[in-house]
Every structure is written in C-alpha cells, then in structure tokens.
Amino acid sequence: MATSFPSLQTLFFLLLFFSTTHIAAQSPSANGTDFSCSANSPISCQTYVTYLAQSPEFLDLGNISDLFGVSSLSIARASNLVSEDAPLVPNQLLLVPITCGCIGNQYFANITYQIKKGDSYYLVSVTSFENLTNWHVVLKMNPSLNPNLLQIGDKVTFPLFCKCPSKTHLENGIEYLLTHVWKPGDDVTQVGAKLNASPADIETENNYRNFSDAVNLPVLIPVSKLPALSQIYPYPPKRNESKRHRDLIAAISIGVALLILLLAALVFCTHRLRSRNKSILNRNSSYLESADLIPMKEHAKSERFEPKFTQDKLLPGVSGYLGKPIIYEIKVIMEATMNLSEHYRIGKSVYRATIDEKVLAIKKIKEDVTEELRILQRINHANLVKLMGVSLDSEGNRFLVYEYAENGSLDKWLHPKSKSSSSSGSAASLTWSQRLHVALDVANGLQYMHEHTQPSLVHRDIRTKNILLDSRFKAKIANFSLAAPTTNDVMPKVDVFAFGVVLLGVALRKESQEKKRKW
C-alpha cells in the first residue's frame, strides 16, 4: 500500500493537469481576444457570428434558425442567400444574427438549448455551436443543473462569446465585431478578405502574436459593414425534384378548367332561361348583380377579383418572416374577451377580441400545441392564416391569437343555416369570379406549403370549414393542428384529393342554388 500511494498521487496530479490544460484549450486566451465589457461600450447590441453549415442536421436553414432562436429569413439576408429555402452545402459560411449583452463583466449572447438524447455540455459546445462557447462557461451559467444528470428536454443556457463595439470603435468606423471561430487552415489575410475586414484590425483586436494559438477559439473580426458573402451553389435545382408536386399542379389546372366550364355552362343556361321567361331573367339578373356588389362596391374595376394566369407570379402573397409571435399576458386575453364571454364567441372555442386597436381571433386549446406552433412560426403567406401571438394561463390552457377573418369560413357561405342569412353569408352571394379566386387562393397556399417550405409541409385537413375569408374575400387556410412535415411522396396527395373535394363543393353548390330558383 505504501508503494502505491505515490503512484496514485502522481496519477491524480497528471489528471488534474490534463483537465486544466483541456479547459484552457477551450477558452479564449487571456493574452488573445478580450470579450470583457468596458465603460464606453453599450450594455447590449445586435451583432453576428459566423457559422459553417454541417451535415447532417445543420444543412437545413430552418434547423440552424431553431438552434439560435432567430428567423431563417434573417440568416438568409445576412448571409447573402437567394432565399431562406436555398440549398446549403457542407462548410458553407453563414452569418447568424444574435443579441449580445454584458453579463457581469463579460459579453455573451445567451442561447436557450433543449437537451436531446446523448447531449452533454462539451458535445453541444463543440459540435452544434462549433466552439462559439465552451463547456465550463456553460457550467457556470447553469448552476442549478447537474451536467452529469441531464435529462432529455432540459433547457440549458449556452452563452456565445461576442462583443459590442465601443465608442472608440465607432469613431474609427467599426460598426460590428463579428465572432469567428478560428479554423486550422485560417490566416489573417484570408479571413480578412472573406469577411471584408482589415488584417491589421484583426490583429489589433485580438492581440495574438501567432494566430495558430487561436485555433478552435472564438476571435473578433472588426468590420465597417456586413460582408457580402460569396455564396456558390454547386448544383442547380433538378426538375425531377418537383415530380411529387405535379399531381397538385395537375389538380389545380383541372379544377380551374372545371370552374371555367361550369361558368360557361351557367352562362349558356341563363341565356336559355332569358328566352323562355323574361320575368325570371330580370329577377335573377338583378339578384346576381346586387350580389356582385356586396364584396365589390368599395373597389375600382381594376381591383376586382379577376383571375390572372401569369407564370411569373405563381406564388403571389409570399412575405418575409416578421419575427416570433407576441407573448400576450393572460390578463390582456381575458380583458379583450370579457373573461371568454359568450358574447365574444365566434366558434366552438374561438373568440373575437380587440387588442391594441386590432381585431383578432383567439382560440383556446387545452392540448399540447408545440408542433403546431413550430410549424406556424416557420410559415408566412397571404393565403395562410397568420399567427399573431400566444398566451398561457395558470390552468395550462393555451391561447393562440390569429389574424381575424371578417367573412368567416367558406363552409358558412356554401351551406347557410337559414335563407335570411344572405347578408352574412349566403351561397348565392358569392359570385363566380369570387369562387374562382377562392380556389386559386387555396391552391397558392397549398403550393407554398408543399413546394416552398423546408422541409415541405402537408395540412392534412383541407375542407371548407378550415378555409376562412377576409374582408375582401381572400381565402386563407386555417387550423394547422394536423399539419406535419412531409416524409414521403404520398402525403401531399392527401391535400390534393381534399382540395379536389373543395373545388367540387365550390362549383356544384352554385349549380344547386340555380336549380332551386328555377323551380
């Protein structure tokens, strides 16, 4: 026993030395980059970190935006990508916007990360966040968590190294201090050319005699403006990649053709009726003309809902990501609905409310809506109902706040409960022009989900009750509780079939109304 003690003691000190060396290797050098706060620097600022797209998980811009908690559109714009759906390749350089703040005496951008199976502080720091942070800083930032007993779903704060430009920086024309992790093959001239920075400024800012000491450590790149990254796409989109969407396009074409044919048939039948019975003609004509004026009377002729088949505007209404939903206090929700009063109810669990002078629709849900929220935060199109905000009460009820569709669901217009409801939505008050436009709106919304989201999405519950009409009778697809990412070629066909059923309902309902008036 006496002879083994020195050996164990030696082994202990060797392990201690190795651990200390390993921690030091992960930390910014004390003689290198300074991330501390200074008296002439702001408390917080908007800045950027460089990030390399990596296989398999982070070749998708949506996954990268989820990791950093920012919109994919903001990353695409900063990184000079053609769109947020642009394909990424391994090691493609990106700029990710972050909010940098002074915490204690050092700058960090705190990112909340949800632990997955097999994760550890070290693994997430060096892989997912690519050494923009290090594990011992994560350990200090999360004192209430045991790093050896992490559970799946635990929320951990990962502080990314960053810095805000001081008054001196700004006077010298430096607007941003980008955080860049130094790679083994990097040199000052190459990095400066890539990020539009002066090599001399990089050396001054980081105080390294030899930048080989900075490998795998974050450094600061001072720039006067954001660099326009040179993005090269090694392969063009292949035609056969859209093969699974041809059924949708074919269905849209057939549906439009069907509506046009039915319109022609209706015109022909109306002409025959005129020759038979002039009184019936006058009554029907005046009725249709007055119905035409209901949604149109406030718009000029040039603004009427006429179909436009222009190939260069296949997806009208696509808009950029406008940021995360507003988190409403439950008190605001209750005041706007008078504690969910029946007077404000417009559906089974949907209430009309006015918040900040905006008319909104509030849906109360008890079930978990995590997946639905994940999808709603990644889509934004004029023909999809927009999520404006969310709220949660002490009893676990979720409240989803949507934009308000003044004219309700398409179902109420096609299947009115009473004959006296023409002012609020009777089947005959929708003209053929409006019906055709509703069909095109729904088609545009589905095409956006199927072809212009990454990964592509399917709604799985397309029906007239889930199609809402706004004040100008523009159709918006609603209720994404069953929506999901596409995993095979069959899933989009479910939406295509359901869309065909909606088209038939829109067309044949008009025909049945005409027959009733005839008899």
Side-chain angles (χ1 to χ4, degrees):
M1 293 290 292
T3 57
S4 64
F5 179 79
S7 300
L8 291 173
Q9 190 177 42
T10 303
L11 179 61
F12 171 77
F13 282 112
L14 284 173
L15 288 173
L16 181 61
F17 173 77
F18 174 78
S19 299
T20 305
T21 305
H22 189 66
I23 291 174
Q26 272 228 329
S27 306
S29 171
N31 298 319
T33 306
D34 179 16
F35 291 96
S36 63
C37 309
S38 60
N40 64 345
S41 296
I43 297 177
S44 66
C45 64
Q46 293 295 317
T47 186
Y48 297 81
V49 299
T50 64
Y51 191 81
L52 296 180
Q54 53 182 309
S55 178
E57 186 177 2
F58 297 112
L59 281 182
D60 178 81
L61 201 60
N63 290 342
I64 296 174
S65 71
D66 289 343
L67 175 67
F68 286 91
V70 297
S71 73
S72 55
L73 183 62
S74 66
I75 300 176
R77 286 175 175 172
S79 304
N80 199 28
L81 300 175
V82 293
S83 75
E84 56 187 312
D85 300 317
L88 302 179
V89 297
N91 295 320
Q92 184 171 349
L93 184 62
L94 304 171
L95 284 178
V96 180
I98 58 170
T99 300
C100 186
C102 184
I103 302 173
N105 62 352
Q106 193 160 357
Y107 278 112
F108 291 111
N110 283 343
I111 306 298
T112 302
Y113 177 88
Q114 196 164 359
I115 294 296
K116 302 182 182 64
K117 184 177 180 181
D119 279 346
S120 67
Y121 288 173
Y122 173 79
L123 185 65
V124 176
S125 297
V126 300
T127 56
S128 297
F129 287 109
E130 299 181 355
N131 288 314
L132 288 165
T133 183
N134 53 58
W135 69 269
H136 70 280
V137 179
V138 179
L139 184 64
K140 291 179 181 179
M141 196 64 71
N142 299 272
S144 63
L145 293 175
N146 186 337
N148 299 316
L149 297 175
L150 294 176
Q151 302 293 322
I152 295 175
D154 282 350
K155 292 183 178 179
V156 178
T157 298
F158 279 80
L160 310 187
F161 289 101
C162 61
K163 192 169 185 177
C164 296
S166 65
K167 184 178 180 181
T168 305
H169 283 120
L170 296 174
E171 289 174 352
N172 292 329
I174 302 300
E175 295 290 333
Y176 299 100
L177 296 175
L178 309 180
T179 303
H180 172 75
V181 175
W182 206 259
K183 307 299 185 299
D186 283 349
D187 64 67
V188 175
T189 303
Q190 171 206 17
V191 172
K194 187 181 296 182
L195 297 176
N196 194 29
S198 163
D201 287 344
I202 296 176
E203 291 175 348
T204 301
E205 190 65 44
N206 296 281
N207 196 29
Y208 276 108
R209 291 184 179 179
N210 187 345
F211 271 83
S212 62
D213 296 335
V215 170
N216 292 329
L217 293 177
V219 299
L220 291 172
I221 309 297
V223 296
S224 58
K225 63 179 181 179
L226 288 184
L229 299 183
S230 177
Q231 302 291 5
I232 300 174
Y233 303 98
Y235 52 87
K238 299 178 181 178
R239 283 190 175 183
N240 56 10
E241 288 179 358
S242 62
K243 183 178 179 180
R244 64 194 177 100
H245 306 301
R246 290 177 182 169
D247 289 341
L248 175 62
I249 297 173
I252 294 172
S253 302
I254 293 172
V256 171
L258 177 62
L259 288 173
I260 292 173
L261 287 174
L262 289 172
L263 177 60
L266 178 62
V267 172
F268 176 77
C269 292
T270 304
H271 179 72
R272 293 289 299 273
L273 286 172
R274 283 176 179 173
S275 61
R276 286 184 179 182
N277 193 327
K278 189 173 182 179
S279 63
I280 295 178
L281 160 68
N282 293 333
R283 185 168 63 252
N284 287 347
S285 176
S286 61
Y287 180 80
L288 288 173
E289 287 173 359
S290 61
D292 241 345
L293 291 174
I294 292 175
M296 303 290 188
K297 60 184 178 182
E298 296 181 359
H299 306 289
K301 289 185 178 180
S302 59
E303 296 177 345
R304 292 201 176 190
F305 298 102
E306 297 299 330
K308 299 179 181 179
F309 300 98
T310 51
Q311 295 299 323
D312 60 332
K313 294 185 178 179
L314 191 59
L315 277 177
V318 177
S319 56
Y321 184 85
L322 300 180
K324 299 292 183 183
I326 298 172
I327 306 299
Y328 289 101
E329 293 184 5
I330 190 62
K331 179 182 177 182
V332 174
I333 300 295
M334 291 304 167
E335 288 179 353
T337 60
M338 296 293 289
N339 292 323
L340 306 181
S341 166
E342 286 295 320
H343 178 70
Y344 290 87
R345 188 191 295 269
I346 57 176
K348 184 177 180 181
S349 57
V350 183
Y351 300 83
R352 184 180 183 272
T354 302
I355 301 177
D356 295 333
E357 299 183 354
K358 290 183 179 179
V359 181
L360 302 169
I362 299 176
K363 183 177 182 181
K364 178 184 177 183
I365 301 176
K366 187 71 175 178
E367 299 79 13
D368 183 15
V369 292
T370 304
E371 185 61 28
E372 184 175 357
L373 284 176
R374 187 187 301 273
I375 289 174
L376 286 169
Q377 290 182 54
R378 294 178 60 183
I379 58 176
N380 198 6
H381 188 273
N383 298 123
L384 305 180
V385 169
K386 183 183 296 182
L387 177 70
M388 308 299 290
V390 295
S391 186
L392 180 71
D393 67 11
S394 58
E395 299 178 359
N397 295 308
R398 285 86 167 171
F399 296 88
L400 304 184
V401 183
Y402 295 96
E403 62 176 317
Y404 183 68
E406 291 83 346
N407 281 309
S409 70
L410 177 62
D411 178 71
K412 292 181 179 179
W413 288 80
L414 298 180
H415 305 94
K417 293 182 179 180
S418 65
K419 294 182 179 179
S420 61
S421 60
S422 59
S423 61
S424 61
S426 130
S429 65
L430 286 179
T431 67
W432 273 108
S433 177
Q434 292 166 342
R435 289 165 183 270
L436 180 57
H437 227 76
V438 166
L440 292 174
D441 286 344
V442 177
N444 280 328
L446 283 178
Q447 188 185 29
Y448 169 78
M449 292 178 64
H450 289 186
E451 297 185 7
H452 295 271
T453 57
Q454 185 62 35
S456 61
L457 302 170
V458 287
H459 186 275
R460 302 199 297 180
D461 196 18
I462 294 296
R463 48 182 172 151
T464 54
K465 287 185 178 180
N466 292 333
I467 297 171
L468 304 182
L469 305 177
D470 68 7
S471 60
R472 298 185 61 187
F473 287 81
K474 175 178 285 188
K476 296 174 180 286
I477 299 173
N479 191 0
F480 291 82
S481 59
L482 298 180
T486 303
T487 57
N488 56 64
D489 293 341
V490 177
M491 291 180 69
K493 295 180 181 179
V494 175
D495 285 351
V496 175
F497 178 82
F499 176 57
V501 174
V502 170
L503 283 179
L504 289 175
V506 169
L508 298 180
R509 184 64 186 172
K510 178 72 176 181
E511 183 181 23
S512 64
Q513 293 297 316
E514 291 295 330
K515 287 182 179 178
K516 287 180 181 179
R517 285 203 300 273
K518 177 181 176 181
W519 291 102

